[in-house]
Coordinates of all heavy atoms in Angstrom, one line a residue:
R110 N 45.9 46.0 5.1 CA 46.9 45.8 4.0 C 48.3 45.7 4.6 O 49.2 45.2 3.9 CB 46.9 47.0 3.1 CG 45.6 47.1 2.3 CD 45.6 48.3 1.4 NE 44.4 48.4 0.6 CZ 44.1 49.4 -0.3 NH1 45.0 50.4 -0.5 NH2 43.0 49.4 -1.0
W111 N 48.5 46.2 5.8 CA 49.8 46.1 6.5 C 50.0 44.8 7.2 O 51.1 44.6 7.8 CB 50.0 47.2 7.5 CG 50.2 48.6 6.8 CD1 49.2 49.4 6.4 CD2 51.4 49.1 6.4 NE1 49.7 50.5 5.8 CE2 51.1 50.4 5.8 CE3 52.7 48.7 6.4 CZ2 52.1 51.2 5.2 CZ3 53.7 49.5 5.9 CH2 53.4 50.8 5.3
R112 N 49.1 43.9 7.1 CA 49.2 42.6 7.8 C 50.4 41.8 7.3 O 51.2 41.2 8.1 CB 47.9 41.8 7.7 CG 47.9 40.5 8.5 CD 46.6 39.8 8.3 NE 46.7 38.5 8.9 CZ 45.8 37.5 8.8 NH1 44.7 37.8 8.0 NH2 45.9 36.3 9.3
P113 N 50.6 41.7 5.9 CA 51.8 40.9 5.5 C 53.1 41.6 5.9 O 54.1 40.8 6.2 CB 51.6 41.0 3.9 CG 50.1 41.2 3.7 CD 49.7 42.1 4.8
V114 N 53.1 42.9 6.0 CA 54.3 43.5 6.4 C 54.7 43.2 7.9 O 55.8 42.9 8.2 CB 54.2 45.1 6.3 CG1 55.5 45.8 6.8 CG2 53.9 45.4 4.8
L115 N 53.6 43.2 8.7 CA 53.8 42.9 10.1 C 54.2 41.4 10.3 O 55.1 41.1 11.1 CB 52.5 43.1 10.9 CG 52.6 42.8 12.4 CD1 53.6 43.6 13.1 CD2 51.2 42.9 13.0
E116 N 53.7 40.5 9.4 CA 54.0 39.1 9.5 C 55.5 38.9 9.1 O 56.2 38.1 9.7 CB 53.1 38.3 8.6 CG 53.3 36.8 8.6 CD 52.3 36.1 7.8 OE1 51.4 36.8 7.3 OE2 52.4 34.9 7.7
V117 N 55.9 39.6 8.1 CA 57.3 39.5 7.6 C 58.3 40.0 8.7 O 59.3 39.4 9.0 CB 57.5 40.2 6.3 CG1 59.0 40.3 6.0 CG2 56.8 39.5 5.2
V118 N 57.9 41.1 9.3 CA 58.8 41.7 10.4 C 58.9 40.8 11.6 O 60.0 40.5 12.1 CB 58.2 43.1 10.8 CG1 59.0 43.6 12.0 CG2 58.4 44.1 9.7
C119 N 57.7 40.2 12.0 CA 57.7 39.3 13.1 C 58.4 37.9 12.9 O 59.0 37.3 13.8 CB 56.3 39.0 13.6 SG 55.5 40.5 14.3
T120 N 58.4 37.5 11.6 CA 59.1 36.2 11.3 C 60.5 36.4 10.8 O 61.2 35.4 10.6 CB 58.2 35.4 10.2 OG1 58.1 36.3 9.1 CG2 56.9 35.1 10.8
L121 N 61.0 37.6 10.7 CA 62.3 37.8 10.2 C 63.4 37.2 11.1 O 64.4 36.7 10.6 CB 62.6 39.3 10.1 CG 63.8 39.7 9.3 CD1 63.7 39.2 7.9 CD2 64.0 41.2 9.3
P122 N 63.2 37.2 12.5 CA 64.3 36.5 13.3 C 64.5 35.0 13.0 O 65.6 34.5 13.4 CB 63.7 36.7 14.7 CG 62.9 37.9 14.7 CD 62.2 37.9 13.3
L123 N 63.6 34.4 12.3 CA 63.8 33.0 12.0 C 64.9 32.8 11.0 O 65.5 31.7 10.9 CB 62.5 32.3 11.5 CG 61.4 32.2 12.5 CD1 60.1 31.6 11.8 CD2 61.8 31.3 13.6
V124 N 65.2 33.8 10.1 CA 66.2 33.6 9.1 C 67.5 34.2 9.5 O 68.5 34.2 8.7 CB 65.7 34.3 7.8 CG1 64.4 33.7 7.3 CG2 65.5 35.8 8.0
V125 N 67.6 34.8 10.7 CA 68.9 35.3 11.2 C 69.5 34.3 12.1 O 68.9 33.9 13.1 CB 68.6 36.6 11.9 CG1 70.0 37.2 12.4 CG2 68.0 37.6 11.0
P126 N 70.7 33.8 11.8 CA 71.4 32.8 12.6 C 71.7 33.4 14.0 O 72.0 34.6 14.1 CB 72.7 32.5 11.9 CG 72.4 32.9 10.5 CD 71.5 34.1 10.5

Side-chain angles (χ1 to χ4, degrees):
R110 295 182 179 179
W111 287 91
R112 184 183 173 189
V114 178
L115 180 62
E116 184 175 356
V117 170
V118 171
C119 290
T120 56
L121 194 60
L123 291 177
V124 300
V125 179

